[in-house]
Amino acid sequence: AQQNCQVANIQVMPNFNRTLYAGTWYAVAKKDPEGLFLIDNVVAHFQIEEDGTMTATASGRVIILNNWEMCAQMLATFEETLDPAKFRMKYWGVANYLQSGNDDHWVIATDYDNYAVHYSCRVVDADGTCLDGYSFIFSRHPTGLRAEDQATVTQMKADICMLGKYRRVPHTGFC
Ligand code: ODT
């Protein structure tokens, strides 16, 4: 495990297989970026298009304009890079008042059937560490991670230098 927290040294999923990754993932924990957007009830659906590219939809509870709580419907396309587990995610909302942007989207680790650890650094600091980033822990199961996956996921949180910075993402049926 790397411990110097250089973004450039972060290890991602070897031989990432987007076809196995496709389908529904429930966020169970999140490390927020500055200016948090998706709060809870976050579910993502990845699909592989006929041309082989990966796209996704996601929904989650957000609060916009100070006090307006709603279920955001989001869309994303993924641009490949030289590393199959590292994408650029272009995202936007179904409604134009939702966030849009272009973030790194790295798959750190997944067993495809139970858990996935996602990482995105938005701003790399002058020393090479991440100044502003976010990460989702995903489960295939709406009830959360299996007990046998928890140690693996904790190790991954440490490897990406975000251990202790996560909060639970409840699923209450809001979205
Ligand atoms: O919630 C935040 O604070 C930052 C996240 C903003 C980007 C959300 C865009 C979602 C677009 C549709 C996405 C699909 C899949 C996403 C999987 C993980 C990362 C968002």
Side-chain angles (χ1 to χ4, degrees):
Q2 63 98 36
Q3 292 302 337
N4 65 7
C5 298
Q6 296 282 300
V7 175
N9 291 348
I10 287 177
Q11 303 299 304
V12 296
M13 183 67 189
N15 305 116
F16 177 70
N17 183 323
R18 69 183 81 175
T19 303
L20 297 178
Y21 193 66
T24 301
W25 289 102
Y26 300 90
V28 299
K30 183 179 179 225
K31 189 274 178 197
D32 291 315
E34 286 172 29
L36 130 88
F37 179 55
L38 296 168
I39 301 169
D40 53 31
N41 290 279
V42 180
V43 182
H45 309 273
F46 291 84
Q47 56 185 64
I48 311 305
E49 304 297 328
E50 274 176 25
D51 65 3
T53 59
M54 189 164 78
T55 62
T57 62
S59 58
R61 188 172 69 93
V62 297
I63 294 174
I64 54 173
L65 309 172
N66 294 325
N67 244 328
W68 184 22
E69 181 187 56
M70 65 175 290
C71 183
Q73 305 287 346
M74 305 295 293
L75 304 169
T77 58
F78 294 84
E79 184 187 320
E80 291 168 33
T81 69
L82 289 174
D83 188 316
K86 293 182 177 178
F87 296 87
R88 291 290 301 176
M89 178 181 78
K90 188 181 171 201
Y91 69 94
W92 63 96
V94 167
N96 63 12
Y97 46 77
L98 296 168
Q99 269 191 21
S100 60
N102 197 331
D103 286 344
D104 274 344
H105 181 101
W106 294 2
V107 179
I108 301 299
T110 183
D111 71 348
Y112 301 105
D113 295 325
N114 297 287
Y115 71 87
V117 177
H118 150 277
Y119 174 85
S120 179
C121 184
R122 281 180 166 163
V123 181
V124 179
D125 209 345
D127 65 3
T129 63
C130 189
L131 187 61
D132 181 18
Y134 64 101
S135 167
F136 281 96
I137 308 300
F138 286 116
S139 175
R140 289 292 193 189
H141 317 289
T143 46
L145 290 179
R146 301 182 308 163
E148 55 264 56
D149 296 326
Q150 276 162 14
T152 308
V153 168
T154 298
Q155 181 62 55
M156 295 301 152
K157 290 174 172 177
D159 289 349
I160 59 178
C161 297
M162 288 180 169
L163 189 61
K165 297 179 179 174
Y166 289 81
R167 58 182 179 81
R168 287 197 52 219
V169 176
H171 289 265
T172 63
F174 183 84
C175 284

